[in-house]
Amino acid sequence: MKVRGEWLYQAPTQSVCRLLEEAGFQALFVGGCVRDDLLGVPVRDIDIATDALPDTVVDLAEVAGLKAVPTGIEHGTVTVVAGGLPHEVTTFRKDVETDGRRATVAFSTDVVEDARRRDFTMNALYARSDGDLIDPLNGLPDLKAGLIRFIDNAEQRIREDYLRILRFFRFHAWYGRGGLDPDGLAACAALSDGIESLSKERIGAEFLKLLTAPEPAETIASMRNSGVLRHVLPGADDGLIGPLVHLEGAHRVPADPLRRLAALGGENQTENLRLSRAQAKRLSQILEGMGRIADPGELGYRKGERTAVDVLLLKAAVENRHVSQQEFDAVATGSVAKFPVSASDLMPAFQGPALGDKLAELEREWIASGFTLRREDLLGTGLS
């Protein structure tokens, strides 16, 4: 079997393979690029495994006139930039010691040793520079079946890095078909306390990737049933995820992890998932819109179209109904509306708190009119 994507045969990528192979080393594409190509998913990152040591990779790249960046050289990774494209070149490795968060590795010359330290069988697929597939751990049948299966012993793989619990569920949400692998699920449930040892940043990044999957509802339900969800986001309730995802599809609204996070609820989402300032602000806007603003037009005006649509979908999920086209239209109208009255229009007749009160009164009147009242209409009635 062959990997046939155009990404593999582009000149810069082949040049990186040649510099290794012509020096007598292996150059094997590995992991996500091979997996995604076989699934027909666009390939984003190109990873190459080799038996050349990191310093050798740097020397070969420099002799070939290519830029070599030691992005993770202590773990065997050198980024080789060719034709403006980054290629992560990593020496075959085996784990020497792990503590559930990071590993001490030793370099290897054996692709099977390199494969056995990976997480899932579908991620231990390799391809030569001509596209020929190498499957040292028989991961191809699992990939075809949509089965996310840990390599060898599931509990051992998880103890090496507890983030693999969340990766197990994330990969199922994206690539899985049918139920979760029973052995993997049992191991995740048994070792779920280990999530507490991970940084909030790692947990948040992984969970938001899961929430971006097209259909994550069943996966999140499995997280709840296995006891994993409470370690990720205490107090979260996945009851609205299924209805929300259905509405997103019905109204052709792209998936959004923060909208889905708002549906989950939970304790102190920003802190527990270490959301960025921008993410925290947007989540706050969604939740505020859920709590205070009922009219779709006003939602669009006060929160902008994107957040207003989030709120419409969430409210519809709570109420078990679809969103009407009239609601979407009202949001769109409100999002571009500009209040035609300013404070200077009311001065000096109004000053201080009275000025703010009058502006708010006129704004409410303008919103209630569907944003149709003009400046002269509002000033004529407001100052009479």
Side-chain angles (χ1 to χ4, degrees):
M1 190 170 185
K2 277 183 145 341
V3 173
R4 301 184 182 276
E6 292 182 4
W7 62 272
L8 186 151
Y9 300 102
Q10 56 192 341
T13 298
Q14 285 294 310
S15 72
V16 175
C17 293
R18 277 197 306 274
L19 71 86
L20 292 166
E21 292 171 339
E22 290 176 357
F25 299 105
Q26 296 184 67
L28 303 178
F29 298 104
V30 65
C33 58
V34 178
R35 177 197 69 226
D36 290 349
D37 186 282
L38 294 172
L39 290 172
V41 176
V43 170
R44 293 172 296 177
D45 301 316
I46 301 176
D47 293 297
I48 298 173
T50 183
D51 51 347
L53 292 172
D55 288 342
T56 302
V57 174
V58 171
D59 291 341
L60 291 171
E62 291 178 347
V63 169
L66 301 179
K67 182 179 181 181
V69 183
T71 45
I73 198 164
E74 68 278 9
H75 296 293
T77 300
V78 176
T79 301
V80 178
V81 182
L85 295 175
H87 303 77
E88 299 289 325
V89 181
T90 303
T91 304
F92 294 158
R93 299 176 294 180
K94 58 183 177 180
D95 288 338
V96 175
E97 183 180 355
T98 60
D99 64 4
R101 291 181 297 173
R102 61 185 68 85
T104 301
V105 300
F107 299 133
S108 172
T109 58
D110 184 354
V111 68
V112 177
E113 283 187 329
D114 188 71
R116 288 200 182 282
R117 71 172 300 276
R118 297 180 183 272
D119 48 11
F120 310 121
T121 56
M122 66 167 54
N123 288 337
L125 296 168
Y126 299 73
R128 294 189 176 92
S129 59
D130 63 0
D132 281 348
L133 188 69
I134 301 173
D135 185 7
L137 302 181
N138 199 33
L140 186 59
D142 290 343
L143 181 71
K144 291 180 175 179
L147 178 64
I148 315 304
R149 185 163 63 88
F150 284 101
I151 290 170
D152 295 333
N153 182 277
E155 288 200 4
Q156 181 179 341
R157 294 287 79 75
I158 291 171
R159 290 184 192 280
E160 290 167 354
D161 185 352
Y162 287 107
L163 191 69
R164 287 174 172 171
I165 295 175
L166 298 187
R167 285 174 60 82
F168 176 73
F169 290 102
R170 193 248 292 183
F171 270 71
H172 183 267
W174 278 98
Y175 305 114
R177 295 195 301 277
L180 287 89
D181 174 59
D183 291 339
L185 184 59
C188 288
L191 299 175
S192 60
D193 286 354
I195 295 172
E196 306 289 344
S197 68
L198 299 171
S199 72
K200 301 296 186 183
E201 288 84 358
R202 295 183 79 198
I203 293 172
E206 196 67 34
F207 193 53
L208 290 178
K209 290 177 184 177
L210 189 160
L211 289 178
T212 311
E215 298 279 351
E218 290 186 8
T219 302
I220 296 173
S222 295
M223 292 180 70
R224 169 177 46 80
N225 290 332
S226 63
V228 169
L229 185 60
R230 64 186 175 86
H231 292 289
V232 174
L233 187 58
D237 183 342
D238 62 308
L240 287 181
I241 291 294
L244 175 61
V245 170
H246 173 75
L247 286 168
E248 290 170 347
H251 294 293
R252 298 182 179 180
V253 178
D256 184 276
L258 294 176
R259 181 193 309 128
R260 292 170 173 184
L261 184 58
L264 279 172
E267 300 171 10
N268 201 350
Q269 296 164 309
T270 295
E271 179 61 25
N272 278 318
L273 301 178
R274 285 291 197 277
L275 300 181
S276 69
R277 287 186 179 181
Q279 290 169 332
K281 181 178 178 180
R282 182 151 176 269
L283 179 62
S284 176
Q285 290 285 307
I286 294 171
L287 296 174
E288 187 178 278
M290 284 286 293
R292 295 199 318 171
I293 306 171
D295 178 71
E298 185 175 0
L299 264 175
Y301 169 63
R302 297 198 184 281
K303 302 298 180 184
E305 186 169 16
R306 183 185 184 188
T307 297
V309 167
D310 293 335
V311 174
L312 287 184
L313 292 171
L314 285 162
K315 287 186 173 183
V318 171
E319 297 165 6
N320 193 27
R321 64 174 179 84
H322 280 268
V323 182
S324 71
Q325 187 58 49
Q326 288 81 2
E327 290 174 288
F328 283 120
D329 290 344
V331 162
T333 298
S335 68
V336 297
K338 304 294 183 185
F339 185 44
V341 176
S342 67
S344 61
D345 293 323
L346 302 179
M347 297 169 65
F350 294 89
Q351 300 285 337
L355 175 60
D357 291 344
K358 178 53 70 174
L359 272 174
E361 176 190 329
L362 294 179
E363 187 181 43
R364 288 193 298 270
E365 186 178 341
W366 172 69
I367 292 170
S369 76
F371 313 105
T372 60
L373 288 177
R374 298 168 299 172
R375 175 175 176 275
E376 52 267 35
D377 299 325
L378 293 164
L379 292 176
T381 58
L383 296 179
S384 60

